[in-house]
Structure formats: C-alpha cells, structure tokens
Amino acid sequence: MMNASPKEKTFNMMFILPALLLFLVFNLYPLLRTIQLSFFQWNGIDKDMVFVGFAQYKHIIFNNPAYWKSMLNAGYITLLCLTLQNGLALLLAILVNRQIKGENIYRVIFFLPPVLSGIVVGLIWKFMYDGNFGILNSWLAAIGFEQFKDFAWLSEIKTALSSVAVVHMWKGFGYGFIILLAGLQTIPNELYEAAEVDGADKWQQFRHITIPSMIPVFTMVTVLTVLGAMQIFDLIYSMTQGGPAGHTDVPITKIYQYMNNGEFGYSTAMAVIFGLVLLIASIFQLYASKKFNK
Amino acid sequence: MSKRNIIIALQSLCLCLAIFMVSGCSGGGSGKSEDAVKIWHWMTDRQEAFEKLANDYYKLTGVKVIFETYAPTDVYKNKITAAASGHLLPDIYNPQSDKKELASYINAGYIADLTDEMNTGWKDVFFEKSLIANSFEENNEWGVKPGIYGVPLDVSSLMIYYNKDLFAQAGLDPENPPKTWPEFIEAGKKLREAGIQPFVSGFGEAWLIGAFAASYQWSLFGKQGIIDTIDGKIPYNDQRWLKIFKLFEEMKDNKMFASGIVTMVNKDSERTFATGRAAMTFNGSWGVNVYKSMNPSLNYGLMYPPSLPDAPYPLLVFGGDGSSMFVNAESPRKDKAIAFLKWFTEKDQQAYLAKETLNIPSNKESADDLPEILQEFSKSITRTFENLPKLEAWQVTNYININLQSVIIGEKDPVKAVKEIQDEKIRQMKVQK
C-alpha cells in the first residue's frame, strides 16, 4: 500500500466509500446530533429549540438523584455479571474444552438463551416469578418452602433487582461461554504437555498457562459484559418497568422515560453522560488489561 | 487497474447508495401519490371492526380509508413523534400526549382546528366530558387558539369491578358493595380472612396508581385546590396529601393488595381478576371486553372508588374521552378525513363499534342500547375529572406515583413520601423559573 499510486489509492477508496458513507449517516451523524441536542431544551415537536448550554448537564449531575440511582442499579447488575455470569461461563468453557462427550450439544444449549429475544425472555421469566401464577413459587412450596407461596420476587425491594440480574445472567452467559471456549482452544497443547513434563499440576497449569494466555480474551469478555449489563433495557422493560418504586430503574429506562415525556434535549444529555461513563469504564479496562499483560 | 475493476467498484457504490436511498424512503406516513385516508390507531383489538366500517364507507362514498394499528401505546407514541419530525404523519392520528404536548402539536401546525366543523352541530352528538380533553379554553397557559381540536371515538372511565361470587364466599353482600372507605377496608379484611386477595390493579403502570389517588385528590382538594397545588400555593406535605398516602398505607396494613401489585401491568391485573384470584380491581370500562374474552362466566359488578366520609368535595373518577382522533393539518386530504370522522361518529357506526368492542360510544344517542354494565360506566362519565387549565410537571406526578408504590411496599411512610414529593416540586419550580 505504501507504494500505491494515486490512481490506485482512489480506486481503493471507492471500496471503502460505501461503508464510510453508511457509517457517517447512521453512526456519526446521529452521535453528533445527539450531542448537539443535549444543549437544547426541546420536546421533539416544537419547531424551535431553546439553547440552554450546559444547564441540563448541570441538572442531571446535581439535581437528578434518580438518574444516579439507576446508574448504581446497572452497576450492581454489571458486578453480578462480571463475577457470577463470567465465572460460570469460564467454568463451563473449561469443562467443555476437556473434550467431553456431546461437546457440540452443550455449545448449542448454552448458546440458546443469548439468541432469544430479550422481551420474550423477560415475559417468560416474569411469569415464572409471578406471585400468583408463577411456577418458581410452586416449586419452592413443593420442596417445603411454603413461605414463598405468594412471594412476589419482582415487587420486593430486596429481591427485585437481583431477580432481574439472574435473568440477565442466564440470558448472557452463553456469549461469554462461546468466546472463552474459543480462547481456550487457541492455547497450544504443547504448552500443557511441556508443563506436565516439568511436573506442574493442573492448578499450576491453569494459573501459569491458561490465565496468562487468556488475558486478551478475558478483556474482551469483560468489556462486552460491562457494556451489555450497563445497557440492559429489554428485560427491565418487560419484567418490572423500573419498579417497584424505581428500584430496578437503569439509565436506559430513565432515558426512555424522559424521552417518552417529551424531554428530548434532557434525555439526550442523559445519554451523553451515560456514553461517557461507559467510555471511561471501557478505557479503564483496556488500560488495566494492558498493564496486567506486561 | 482494469476497466472491469472500475466498473465493478462503481456498481458496488451504486448498489450501496440504492440500498441506502430505498431504506431511507421506506415506511410510515401518507404517501403523496395515495388518495386513501390513512389512520393510525393503537388499539389492535379493534382492527377488524375498523376495517369493516372503512369498507362500508368505501361502498358509500368511494373514498378509501386505511386503518393501521400499532401497539403497545408507547411504541405508537414514539412512531407519531418520529413521523411528526419528518412531516410524515397520517391524515388522522392521536399524539397520545397530555394537554401540554397536545398544545405543542397544535402550535407546530400538526393538528387541524375543528371548531368550525364542530359548531355546525357535530359537537352536540358527543358526551360533553369527552370533548374537554380535546378542547382549549380562552387564555390557556399554552397559547393555543381556543377551540375544539379532536374527535372522540369513544369514552371511558375507571371504576372498581368486584367479583360477586368471591364477595358471597367471604360473607359479603354481592349486591351491596362498599360505598365508603371504612366499609371498603372492612370488606378487604373479610376477604383476606376468607383467603381471597382483596384488591388488584395494574399499579406497576404509573398512570393507574395515579388515577386511583387522583380521585381522592379531587375529593379532598376540589378543582381550585388542585390548581393551587400546581401553582405551588399548597405544598405536597399538606395534611390532605398526607391523608391520601395514609389511605394506601391503610390498604397495605390490612393486606388488601394482591401479591406483586407494584410491578403489575394492567394486562396481568386483568388476568388476576378474570381468573378469580382477586375480588376487586380498579380498571377502565374497556375491561368489560377484556373480561368477556378472558372469562365469559365471570360474575361481577361495579362500584365507585369508596368515598371518604369527611371529604369536602365529591369524589370524581378518571375518565372522559377514551380514544380521540386528530386531523393532520398538513394533510392534503384534510377535508376527506373530517368527512370520514363525521360519518364515523354517527349513531349507527358508533352503535356498531360499541357492540363489537364493548366500549362506550362517544355519541350519546348510541349509549342507550349498551349492555347494563356499560350503561353504568356511561353514567359515570358525568362524574369524571373536570378540565384543568394547567398541568402538574410530569416529574412531580412521577414522584407521586413512585412514592405511592414505596408506601405500598413499606419502604417509606406517608410523611417521608410527601416530603420527597414536595422536594421534587421545589426542584421543578426552580427549573421552570
């Protein structure tokens, strides 16, 4: 490419141009427009928008505790996903990687929940959790936990957010599983054989071969988990609508709520802040993984 | 670089641009070449009845009318907002908004003024209350020219349905439901003792819990008191607001709420009531059709939300217009759209709609032939909330609804709840300034 003639460069550019155009129209323009809108007060209908500068940002940061509470809720779900969901995904990936019988069946089974529609999954689980009709309570009562007979998992402060998080983890762990399994399969067997010759036991092999080799994969899974969990919406929307009393609200449901109430400018400012939080989190993770890699 | 390669590259570019342009042009709106009147509605269960009437109208006039229905309501609302921004609104639609937002649509020129048409005698066929939500008074705070802008297709109100069989099972008189608050609580206790969940409603949907509380707001404050609260002259930690929150606390303390009520959407609440898992439910007149489809043998009656013995004002109920339609002021088929709506709201068409969908027609003349239960609802239209010249900020209303949920789940006591609402009111008043 270094020696390509201007004519060749122009020709090559023509191949990039369609994708670039699509990117500009469907990604860059909406992004810039969102940032622009966040400085205006606008209800989506009026022909005139009122410029308010950083006033909406100021209000969100200092006067909107519900928004920050929703951020904490999303953070809680993310934390559970990073530990429990990814821990389970890694464990299952290691087990399947041991060339057990029916390896492909496990892959299909574990990858089924992620491909299901979030709304459908949410509605099914909502029905399972239901205090009046739910099968979860019937099962619990059948094994002796009678106190859960009418227990409304999604309406109790102590269980609502965790119940939604469980569904998100159930739905999401398959992604991590597939990526981690693919990562495990790229580690050359020779490394384990050499370690065995040197007398390393299974734990030492895992600690000194598997983990260091998997760090780039862990980074990717972690970033994807954080982005996926923080942006949770469809499950919340179909299961609790942010309730009880806002205890399962997450940033996207708040943004949606404000937009639905004609606060387009304000909700875009919320979206920009949320985008920045995610960007910072992702940069921090990449930086940490690079440092760890060294 | 061969000529062939250049041609391939150019073809690829053209293909991408074509896909882009086609995708940009697809969907929604009233195509300029079409001559049919296009209507967007959100009640998918009425599609068949709408289409039948549209066919009748075509046979009668030769004008084609296309009904497109989109659910759920918030998806419909988003579609309307997006279409308005792109000037792609259909000929007839409903912005699904409160009066403030409706005013924005009118001021932006997206909704036609129907006052002149209505004054030709059209408005006389409607229930008076059904026009209130679509009308703007002189000197309204949104600067909208006074007049009538919407056409009500049906009316609705919210009352309490009660299951007569479950009442009898609990030793209550099924023909004499509770009328006052103490009677209501007493009935709840008896039902609970009989192992029956006393009360269910879609309180996970903020507007329903708000509508229930608003009946008591009207009863304790009256119209002027509500306006004074919106103006900030009466704080939300006023004793009367505290009393409203205490009503919910009293219901909670007497275990009146069905399991999971605070995250329950209305559809789930309707299923709970229809299957006999709760004895009372707060729901709209559309519930008649819903319960008929879910459980045709359900034996139920209707009652007003129980009144407070010492309340200074009458107890009103949420309601008035059910679904109204607005004509797109930018539409080239505006006159055809108005003519269709006039025909659509005539007695025969309204009677057909009422029969097919079990809703209360907006045309008064058609209401006489309704089933008994719908006639009761129809009578309640005169007891629905009055028109207000201003609205509370939605953020404050949202705080009220969320804090009512908090009281139900025992997270907050009424004193703390009303204090937080007042704090939010102060925040919003600062923003408005």
Side-chain angles (χ1 to χ4, degrees), chain A residues 7 11 14-15 17-18 21-22 25-26 42-47 59 63 65 126-127 130-133 150-152 154-155 157 237 239-241 243-247 254 256-258 260-264, chain B residues 1 5-6 9-10 13 16-17 20 72 74 77-78 81 84-85 87 101 104-105 108 110 197 204-205 259-265 268 271-272 275 277 330 394-395 398-399 402 405-406 409 411 427 431:
Chain A
K7 207 174 173 185
F11 176 68
M14 284 168 73
F15 281 99
L17 204 58
L21 267 176
L22 292 175
V25 173
F26 292 109
W42 186 49
N43 65 1
I45 309 299
D46 288 344
K47 289 191 170 152
H59 188 269
N63 285 304
K126 186 183 178 188
F127 196 68
D130 193 290
N132 294 301
F133 304 91
D150 291 328
F151 191 80
L154 296 173
S155 297
I157 305 168
Y237 182 74
M239 293 174 80
T240 63
Q241 305 214 329
H247 283 282
K254 293 306 286 182
Y256 187 72
Q257 183 190 35
Y258 274 78
N260 251 347
N261 281 287
E263 303 271 355
F264 273 64
Chain B
M1 186 166 56
N5 282 348
I6 294 173
L10 281 172
L13 185 64
C16 285
L17 283 172
F20 169 64
D74 54 346
K77 182 179 159 65
N78 288 340
T81 313
S85 307
H87 296 272
E101 209 175 297
S104 295
Y105 273 89
Y110 296 132
Q197 297 194 106
E205 291 179 26
S259 168
I261 195 168
V262 287
T263 49
M264 199 179 272
V265 291
D268 293 339
R271 198 176 64 230
T272 305
T275 51
R277 286 173 180 260
E330 294 180 333
W394 73 267
Q395 293 91 337
N398 186 48
Y399 250 74
I402 281 185
Q405 288 188 347
S406 291
I409 55 178
E411 183 192 21
R427 275 199 288 268
V431 170

Side-chain angles (χ1 to χ4, degrees), chain A residues 30-106:
Chain A
L31 178 69
L32 295 175
R33 183 87 172 125
T34 301
I35 294 169
Q36 184 209 9
L37 265 180
S38 69
F39 295 107
F40 288 87
Q41 197 175 48
W42 186 49
N43 65 1
I45 309 299
D46 288 344
K47 289 191 170 152
D48 299 320
M49 300 191 287
V50 183
F51 181 76
V52 291
F54 284 95
Q56 294 179 140
Y57 285 94
K58 203 175 137 193
H59 188 269
I60 293 165
I61 293 168
F62 298 108
N63 285 304
N64 197 335
Y67 179 69
W68 295 105
K69 193 187 159 204
S70 76
M71 196 78 83
L72 283 179
N73 288 344
Y76 173 76
I77 295 173
T78 305
L79 197 68
L80 287 183
C81 289
L82 283 173
T83 50
L84 299 180
Q85 176 190 307
N86 287 348
L88 180 69
L90 180 64
L91 183 72
L92 291 171
I94 290 168
L95 291 175
V96 172
N97 193 41
R98 291 180 140 189
Q99 289 166 351
I100 53 169
K101 243 184 178 180
E103 177 192 338
N104 286 334
I105 296 172
Y106 288 117

Side-chain angles (χ1 to χ4, degrees), chain B residues 333-352:
Chain B
R333 291 166 294 277
K334 199 169 81 181
D335 293 339
K336 280 184 183 175
I338 294 170
F340 173 73
L341 285 173
K342 275 187 176 171
W343 177 83
F344 200 72
T345 50
E346 281 173 10
K347 189 184 173 189
D348 290 347
Q349 286 68 254
Q350 285 277 293
Y352 171 78

Side-chain angles (χ1 to χ4, degrees), chain B residues 225-347:
Chain B
I226 292 173
I227 294 169
D228 287 347
T229 312
I230 297 170
D231 286 339
K233 292 176 192 162
I234 298 176
Y236 278 95
N237 45 10
D238 180 274
Q239 285 304 311
R240 287 166 289 180
W241 265 108
L242 193 61
K243 182 163 188 165
I244 294 172
F245 275 76
K246 281 184 174 169
L247 296 176
F248 283 80
E249 190 183 43
E250 197 180 354
M251 284 180 80
K252 182 207 80 174
D253 291 343
N254 287 290
K255 298 186 171 50
M256 285 190 70
F257 295 117
S259 168
I261 195 168
V262 287
T263 49
M264 199 179 272
V265 291
N266 203 29
K267 199 40 86 189
D268 293 339
S269 157
E270 285 165 346
R271 198 176 64 230
T272 305
F273 182 73
T275 51
R277 286 173 180 260
M280 292 181 274
T281 186
F282 179 64
N283 199 11
S285 43
W286 57 85
V288 175
N289 196 28
V290 175
Y291 300 132
K292 188 192 167 198
S293 64
M294 284 181 174
N295 182 4
S297 60
L298 189 68
N299 181 20
Y300 62 85
L302 274 183
M303 61 187 239
Y304 281 95
S307 58
L308 304 175
D310 52 347
Y313 301 97
L315 185 135
L316 304 180
V317 292
F318 184 97
D321 74 318
S323 58
S324 291
M325 283 288 134
F326 298 82
V327 175
N328 181 359
E330 294 180 333
S331 165
R333 291 166 294 277
K334 199 169 81 181
D335 293 339
K336 280 184 183 175
I338 294 170
F340 173 73
L341 285 173
K342 275 187 176 171
W343 177 83
F344 200 72
T345 50
E346 281 173 10
K347 189 184 173 189

Side-chain angles (χ1 to χ4, degrees), chain B residues 151-169:
Chain B
V151 182
L153 297 191
D154 54 55
V155 291
S156 67
S157 68
L158 277 83
M159 290 175 76
I160 295 179
Y161 295 73
Y162 68 96
N163 184 319
K164 290 184 175 180
D165 295 339
L166 294 181
F167 262 49
Q169 206 177 305

